[in-house]
Amino acid sequence: MKTQLRTDITIADICKGFQYNELEGKGLFGLDGKLTIQPEYQRNYIYADGKRDVAVIDSIIKGYPLGIIYFNQTGADTYEVLDGQQRITSIGRFLTKKFAIKDCNGMEQYFGSLSKDLQEKIMQTPLLIYICEGEESEIKEWFKTINIAGVPLKEQELLNAIYSGPFVTLAKAEFSNSQNSNVQKWSAYVAGSVIRQDFLHTALDWVSKGCIDNYMSQHRQDNNINELKAYFTSVIDWISTTFKSVEKEMCGLEWGRLYETYHTHAYSSEEVDKTVKKLYGDPYVKNRKGIYEYVLGGCQEHKLIEVRVFDEATKKSVYAKQTKAAEAAGQSNCPLCAIGNNNNKTRIWKLSEMDADHVTAWSKGGATDISNCEMLCSTHNRAKGNK
Ligand SMILES: [Zn+2]
């Protein structure tokens, strides 16, 4: 890969013909149309937070270095931004009056309201630009290793870079577009940020059953995302018809896996809703995120919802009481050993050799308190199992 350092390109040059697409949330072109600011393997613009974008402008005004910017030469006189897209978009947006900065008196100032001197100073600031030339694979490999202004690339942003092509472009337009009206509905079940590619990541994860790399490589040159979209929609529709109400614990669950495992089972959404509500109201359910898989699996795997266990004080107190009575009667302090026929019939177990058990099982309405606690030796407790 060849690189050439340029120090003669100013902000005025870069921002000539700057276009920002509000709908897609990205800077498009600069350098009078010769510079593509966001090639398809780049992340969307994430500096529009009133902090990072403002910091870029502050740095310029104060004469602080803005860091090195890298362009990839794509033709005789055409370039795309390899690293620096967030900074350039911030500058372009400031020049086109998309946001204001605060002056030393705390007053909001748009570019147009700055003094002519200051406007001129900003426009004439040169940027430090390396122009790189190399094979596409070389450029992308290198792009993987650079860290953009302290915001590391997410895994999906990297994958988008590696497998850039028509498929990624279409997939991003659907799943990385914060203006997509479906995003709000999806947010109930999918966690993360649309523009940081978390939704696209989830959609790919579901359709590929976790083999995202493979899937992206296979579909890289596809001119449609039909399968990706259809699968994602099936999962979302399945969740919203199976579970009538939306709870915050539903967000970010492994819905792809749950769909694969359970979507062929028939559920009554009335019954499911009743059970879910009951579990939400049950003070012994510690892990509400586990409720959904628990219900889908027919309420068998209690481990999923982490039913509250007896605390140490309760165990000690029950142990002391049971042991005292057992010693007086000359029997084992494990009630099941005591009615058995082997050597353990009279054995007094240590506290550490016993476990607490629900006399009436939790799943049958038994409480997790001292009145429903009995200590069993570890063997009997295990044999009694998860009832
Ligand atoms: Zn026992």
Side-chain angles (χ1 to χ4, degrees):
M1 192 168 69
K2 277 198 316 192
T3 59
Q4 181 205 353
L5 178 64
R6 293 276 299 268
T7 55
D8 57 317
I9 303 174
T10 63
I11 284 178
D13 298 328
I14 291 286
C15 294
K16 191 163 182 199
F18 175 81
Q19 283 178 33
Y20 181 75
N21 185 319
E22 204 69 57
L23 212 61
E24 291 178 64
K26 59 190 192 184
L28 299 176
F29 301 105
L31 271 180
D32 209 10
K34 287 181 289 202
L35 177 69
T36 301
I37 295 174
Q38 192 186 49
E40 54 186 327
Y41 52 81
Q42 275 276 20
R43 67 172 73 191
N44 289 11
Y45 180 58
I46 58 172
Y47 270 24
D49 56 5
K51 281 190 187 130
R52 284 179 288 191
D53 48 1
V54 168
V56 170
I57 306 305
D58 275 345
S59 301
I60 296 167
I61 291 174
K62 290 176 177 149
Y64 297 162
L66 214 49
I68 298 171
I69 283 170
Y70 294 90
F71 289 174
N72 174 27
Q73 182 139 16
T74 53
D77 198 20
T78 53
Y79 312 89
E80 58 186 25
V81 179
L82 207 50
D83 187 13
Q85 178 234 354
Q86 304 291 327
R87 284 165 285 170
I88 290 174
T89 304
S90 295
I91 299 169
R93 288 181 82 243
F94 183 65
L95 262 49
T96 52
K97 306 176 182 65
K98 298 282 193 300
F99 69 95
I101 56 164
K102 284 213 167 83
D103 67 13
C104 48
N105 300 315
M107 301 290 291
E108 290 221 318
Q109 300 284 357
Y110 283 88
F111 181 71
S113 55
L114 297 176
S115 70
K116 288 281 170 260
D117 284 7
L118 199 49
Q119 288 187 11
E120 197 54 25
K121 179 181 171 186
I122 292 171
M123 294 302 266
Q124 294 315 316
T125 301
L127 297 172
L128 207 54
I129 298 167
Y130 271 104
I131 295 182
C132 313
E133 252 189 286
E135 293 296 318
E136 193 189 6
S137 57
E138 224 178 354
I139 300 276
K140 281 172 189 161
E141 193 52 40
W142 184 68
F143 181 78
K144 268 174 73 173
T145 65
I146 53 178
N147 219 355
I148 301 169
V151 184
L153 289 170
K154 286 204 168 195
E155 187 196 349
Q156 189 58 48
E157 290 170 333
L158 270 181
L159 290 170
N160 290 353
I162 298 165
Y163 299 112
S164 72
F167 179 79
V168 161
T169 304
L170 290 168
K172 280 175 77 174
E174 176 71 14
F175 294 104
S176 314
N177 176 2
S178 53
Q179 304 295 317
N180 184 330
S181 59
N182 288 318
V183 164
Q184 203 190 348
K185 180 181 181 184
W186 298 346
S187 311
Y189 315 120
V190 179
S193 148
V194 175
I195 60 168
R196 292 304 303 274
Q197 313 299 329
D198 293 322
F199 285 49
L200 175 57
H201 192 74
T202 301
L204 286 163
D205 182 51
W206 290 355
V207 72
S208 70
K209 322 288 184 285
C211 304
I212 298 180
D213 256 280
N214 233 325
Y215 191 86
M216 290 185 80
S217 153
Q218 266 174 33
H219 293 271
R220 185 171 182 180
Q221 301 306 334
D222 289 4
N223 283 307
N224 70 78
I225 55 163
N226 299 346
E227 183 187 53
L228 175 69
K229 220 171 140 173
Y231 191 89
F232 184 81
T233 308
S234 306
V235 177
I236 295 284
D237 288 349
W238 174 75
I239 306 169
S240 60
T241 49
T242 309
F243 299 99
K244 292 209 296 188
S245 36
V246 173
E247 302 288 349
K248 67 175 194 299
E249 286 82 5
M250 299 174 95
C251 183
L253 295 182
E254 291 175 58
W255 289 115
R257 178 177 61 78
L258 296 177
Y259 173 80
E260 279 301 312
T261 315
Y262 297 108
H263 81 275
T264 54
H265 298 214
Y267 297 98
S268 146
S269 67
E270 297 286 337
E271 282 304 313
V272 165
D273 196 51
K274 240 194 270 171
T275 313
V276 169
K277 289 216 166 84
K278 187 166 153 262
L279 290 165
Y280 262 84
D282 189 325
Y284 299 111
V285 171
K286 267 192 353 193
N287 180 26
R288 289 181 158 181
K289 280 187 172 292
I291 287 177
Y292 299 91
E293 184 166 7
Y294 179 71
V295 171
L296 290 169
C299 299
Q300 299 295 313
E301 288 288 322
H302 304 326
K303 267 189 297 211
L304 290 167
I305 50 176
E306 295 173 26
V307 176
R308 203 179 298 278
V309 294
F310 295 103
D311 60 36
E312 290 308 308
T314 302
K315 286 192 218 169
K316 268 189 195 155
S317 150
V318 172
Y319 174 82
K321 196 173 149 210
Q322 258 176 240
T323 305
K324 198 175 161 200
E327 279 169 345
Q331 291 179 333
S332 171
N333 58 346
C334 166
L336 295 182
C337 286
I339 56 169
N341 285 313
N342 61 27
N343 294 342
N344 289 337
K345 205 172 160 56
T346 56
R347 178 160 180 177
I348 298 295
W349 299 95
K350 293 187 215 147
L351 177 59
S352 61
E353 294 167 329
M354 302 185 90
D355 290 308
D357 185 58
H358 286 81
V359 181
T360 304
W362 167 82
S363 54
K364 297 196 172 69
T368 305
D369 61 26
I370 197 157
S371 67
N372 192 38
C373 176
E374 101 182 318
M375 299 298 286
L376 298 180
C377 72
S378 303
T379 313
H380 275 124
N381 185 62
R382 228 172 295 131
K384 209 175 154 191
N386 210 3
K387 278 183 253 166

